[in-house]
Amino acid sequence: MTTTQLPVVEGLFTWPPSESEPLRLIGSECTACGLVSFPAASDCVRCASDESKIRLLADRGTLWTYTTQNFRPPSPPYDGPDTFEPYSVGYVELAGELLVEARLTEPDPEKLRIGQAMRLTLVPYAVRDDGTEVMTFAFAPVEESIPVEELAQTEPVEEAS
């Protein structure tokens, strides 16, 4: 049985990811002052320029800070499942670019540490009544067995706007 998957929002990350086009967050870079933004923005919050270009962000970073959500938030705005499982959220620093606020795949705070290497991944956000998985991005800890030299940052890719 094939499960249909859809992105939580179009234009937030590359979709669908593949071997030839790996998963990347879609940001923007102000052509006037160089500010990198995520999600992509047409207007710069630093200099108010309305000229920007799309920029695919690095898919690796380091955990800057985090917290664990241990109880079901009130609805609205929470629209997750009724059966609640604790989860972690944090800021991941994409070196030379920006901090990204994201869900973390590891809910156990004992297995997280500031400065930890993280990689971009996809996780189910919700499952619709017809079985369609709505996918969103998250960051997962990089396995400890990977040598440090292999954790080099992926270079950002610029695309024409």
Side-chain angles (χ1 to χ4, degrees):
M1 178 175 149
T2 303
T3 301
T4 302
Q5 294 182 327
L6 296 172
V8 68
V9 175
E10 291 289 334
L12 196 58
F13 47 85
T14 55
W15 184 264
S18 66
E19 284 189 36
S20 62
E21 304 236 357
L23 178 65
R24 302 290 283 275
L25 297 177
I26 301 172
S28 60
E29 181 178 348
C30 175
T31 57
C33 73
L35 180 70
V36 177
S37 298
F38 176 78
S42 57
D43 297 322
C44 181
V45 296
R46 179 190 290 157
C47 73
S49 170
D50 62 359
E51 295 184 26
S52 64
K53 59 185 173 186
I54 295 297
R55 177 173 169 154
L56 297 181
L57 303 175
D59 61 354
R60 305 265 175 157
T62 55
L63 188 56
W64 192 73
T65 194
Y66 63 94
T67 190
T68 302
Q69 181 68 38
N70 290 314
F71 59 91
R72 188 179 194 283
S75 294
Y78 180 75
D79 64 351
D82 288 334
T83 56
F84 179 78
E85 291 186 29
Y87 60 90
S88 296
V89 293
Y91 281 97
V92 175
E93 181 177 18
L94 305 180
E97 294 180 311
L98 72 165
L99 294 173
V100 174
E101 181 180 5
R103 189 163 185 167
L104 306 176
T105 61
E106 178 55 65
D108 183 353
E110 297 298 318
K111 295 180 181 176
L112 296 169
R113 69 183 187 290
I114 292 173
Q116 185 172 20
M118 305 296 281
R119 65 176 173 76
L120 183 63
T121 191
L122 288 177
V123 295
Y125 172 74
V127 178
R128 294 183 178 165
D129 291 339
D130 67 0
T132 300
E133 284 186 319
V134 179
M135 305 299 289
T136 192
F137 71 93
F139 280 88
V142 173
E143 294 76 23
E144 295 295 330
S145 61
I146 297 174
V148 173
E149 52 274 2
E150 291 182 26
L151 297 178
Q153 292 288 326
T154 304
E155 292 298 315
V157 177
E158 297 174 3
E159 293 185 353
S161 51

